[in-house]
Amino acid sequence: MIKALVFDMDGVIIDSEPIQCEIAVDVLRSFGAEPAENELYEFVGVTNQAMWPVLKERHKLDASVEEILKRHQEYKKKRFFTQKIEPIEGVRELIMDADARGLKIALATSSPRYLAEHILTSTGLMPYFDAMVTADDITKSKPDPEIYLKAAELLGVEPESCIAVEDAEHGIQAAKNAGMRVIGFINPHSGKQDTSRADFVVSSMRDIDLDRLVG
C-alpha cells in the first residue's frame, strides 16, 4: 500500500536543470576553464560536493573545492533569489491531490537546504511537505540510496510504501536502490536521461494517476 510520495526538486518541482547547468558552466569559466557543450548534464541529480572534485580534476582548476563551492553558492543565490520561480505544470495539483488523500509528502533533493527552502517557500508548496532531505543532510550522493532512505525514515514509512518522482537517471537508481517504486518524469530540459529503470514513465505531471497508483 502506498503511503507517501517523495519528490526530487530540480527538474521535477521546478524546471531548473538548464539553469543549474548554466550556473556551473559560468563557475567553471570564472576559474578559466572551458567546459564542453552539455558536459554538466552528466551530473544531473548529483550533489555539488560530489560534482566539483570531479570537475576540478578534469579541468585542472587551481582553486580548492571549498573555494569553488563558495563561488557556486554565490552564483546560485544571485540567479535563483532574483527571479520569479514557478513550479512545473501539474506538479502543484499532484501535490495537493496527494495531500488531500492523506499521503505523506517528502522532498529528496541534491540541492542545498537554503535553496530547497527558498524554492518551496517561493512556490507556496512548503506547507504540503512533511519532510525534507537535502545535500546538507547526506554523506553519499545519488545514485546511493541514502537520501531516499532518510526521507522514508523521517516520514515514518517503509521505503516499499513510497513512490519517488524523479527526472534523472542517478535519482531513479537511488530510489530503486532504496526499495521504492519510481515514476520517471521525462523532462526535455534535463538532458538525455535514461528512465528505463523507472516503474512508470510520464512526460507530464498530469499523467500521474493517483487513483491507479494508490487506489
Side-chain angles (χ1 to χ4, degrees):
M1 179 179 178
I2 298 303
K3 299 178 180 178
L5 293 185
V6 185
F7 290 85
D8 176 40
M9 185 177 74
D10 294 295
V12 171
I13 299 292
I14 62 169
D15 204 4
S16 54
E17 297 294 11
I19 298 173
Q20 295 279 18
C21 290
E22 287 172 13
I23 292 170
V25 166
D26 288 344
V27 172
L28 280 168
R29 287 175 174 164
S30 76
F31 285 106
E34 191 53 51
E37 185 178 0
N38 296 328
E39 177 181 353
L40 274 299
Y41 280 98
E42 72 182 82
F43 298 99
V44 170
V46 176
T47 63
N48 296 331
Q49 288 81 357
M51 176 181 74
W52 281 114
V54 176
L55 289 173
K56 169 180 162 60
E57 178 65 24
R58 181 182 296 175
H59 291 280
K60 309 301 180 187
L61 303 183
D62 292 330
S64 68
V65 172
E66 290 72 22
E67 290 174 317
I68 299 170
L69 284 168
K70 182 178 179 182
R71 186 168 299 180
H72 194 190
Q73 178 173 310
E74 292 170 352
Y75 279 35
K76 277 190 174 187
K77 286 184 175 179
K78 185 180 295 183
R79 189 73 176 268
F80 283 102
F81 283 61
T82 57
Q83 294 183 349
K84 183 175 175 58
I85 298 172
E86 294 288 350
I88 283 176
E89 183 178 350
V91 76
R92 183 188 302 278
E93 291 79 3
L94 174 62
I95 290 171
M96 293 175 66
D97 185 13
D99 179 70
R101 293 169 184 264
L103 297 178
K104 293 186 176 181
I105 302 172
L107 189 75
T109 177
S110 297
S111 284
R113 180 168 289 268
Y114 77 85
L115 186 57
E117 290 179 343
H118 172 69
I119 286 172
L120 289 188
T121 299
S122 298
T123 56
L125 294 173
M126 182 68 86
Y128 296 102
F129 282 79
D130 302 292
M132 178 190 300
V133 186
T134 72
D136 300 340
D137 307 308
I138 57 174
T139 59
K140 298 176 182 178
S141 182
K142 300 174 183 177
D144 189 275
E146 180 186 9
I147 193 167
Y148 279 105
L149 292 173
K150 284 198 170 186
E153 181 182 0
L154 287 175
L155 291 175
V157 175
E158 292 297 322
E160 294 78 12
S161 297
C162 299
I163 292 182
V165 186
E166 272 280 359
D167 69 313
E169 180 180 353
H170 291 303
I172 291 169
Q173 290 177 354
K176 293 295 291 184
N177 291 342
M180 296 183 182
R181 285 198 284 169
V182 185
I183 298 170
F185 171 52
I186 299 177
N187 187 329
H189 301 134
S190 296
K192 190 175 181 180
Q193 299 293 322
D194 182 3
T195 59
S196 62
R197 289 197 65 197
D199 298 278
F200 314 95
V201 178
V202 299
S203 57
S204 169
M205 287 293 170
R206 299 191 186 280
D207 292 336
I208 298 176
D209 185 356
L210 292 185
D211 283 332
R212 185 164 64 90
L213 294 175
V214 179

